[in-house]
Amino acid sequence: MAFFIVLVVLGIVGFGVVSLRASRENDDSPAPTGTGTDSPGEPRDIPPLFPDFLHGVLFAVGKEPTPQNLLALSEYVSQMISANAYGWFHQFGDAAAEARFSRRFRGGGPEGQALEKVPDDMIDFLWDWNPRARDALREWIPRLESDLAAPESRLWLYGDELPFGMWEDT
């Protein structure tokens, strides 16, 4: 549980630093949902998490990329992205975006969506939502990968099969 809390705090702090830098560079911009320096339709430049990111994390922690492990890790990563997303929505005071995100992703994403693709869908949502989130995501995703593979990662606590609901374990 402490590892998850540290990840969430690091993500929120990291996003705050990036946002503060962006806001200082764009003090004359009153809009809370953009810096004015990025085009709203800028294509995502963060590589998809499925499959390479997830496979890389599983390999780093000595787990096989079985369907169970991929789905459990996807669920875990989705929870981490959600925790950061809610912090970012609050930071920017965008309750409408928070409500849209909640409607879309509560319960594992839209009907029929493959669970292993939910983290990428969340990143796409955040990418399109606010241009200032892009720098935070660019910094946070590589750090997330390192943290998940680190010796103190909770992924090491389990045997060959990762369980669902890892973020709830204390």
Side-chain angles (χ1 to χ4, degrees):
M1 182 69 172
F3 176 73
F4 177 68
I5 293 170
V6 168
L7 281 178
V8 170
V9 170
L10 286 174
I12 292 170
V13 169
F15 185 78
V17 169
V18 169
S19 298
L20 183 59
R21 266 192 250 142
S23 68
R24 285 187 178 166
E25 294 170 1
N26 299 300
D27 279 342
D28 58 340
S29 175
T33 58
T35 63
T37 59
D38 293 323
S39 65
E42 180 183 335
R44 172 178 160 174
D45 58 20
I46 297 170
L49 301 189
F50 180 79
D52 293 340
F53 175 96
L54 298 174
H55 281 237
V57 169
L58 290 172
F59 177 78
V61 297
K63 310 281 190 244
E64 292 293 322
T66 63
Q68 169 67 30
N69 285 342
L70 285 168
L71 293 176
L73 181 58
S74 293
E75 179 192 45
Y76 189 46
V77 170
S78 293
Q79 291 298 321
M80 292 176 180
I81 293 171
S82 291
N84 281 284
Y86 289 119
W88 298 338
F89 297 140
H90 286 273
Q91 181 176 354
F92 288 111
D94 196 338
E98 180 178 353
R100 287 192 312 274
F101 187 89
S102 290
R103 279 192 306 274
R104 183 169 180 168
F105 296 111
R106 290 259 162 107
E111 184 73 27
Q113 181 176 34
L115 183 59
E116 65 270 14
K117 295 187 179 181
V118 171
D120 282 309
D121 195 17
M122 289 176 159
I123 291 170
D124 289 340
F125 180 99
L126 295 167
W127 188 270
D128 292 339
W129 160 63
N130 188 323
R132 288 187 277 182
R134 296 172 186 165
D135 285 337
L137 287 165
R138 286 178 185 123
E139 289 181 19
W140 184 69
I141 296 298
R143 198 169 60 240
L144 172 63
E145 185 174 20
S146 296
D147 290 344
L148 288 169
E152 61 276 1
S153 169
R154 83 172 33 249
L155 299 179
W156 291 100
L157 300 177
Y158 304 101
D160 292 338
E161 188 172 280
L162 296 174
F164 288 105
M166 286 184 282
W167 75 92
E168 296 174 324
D169 288 348
T170 55

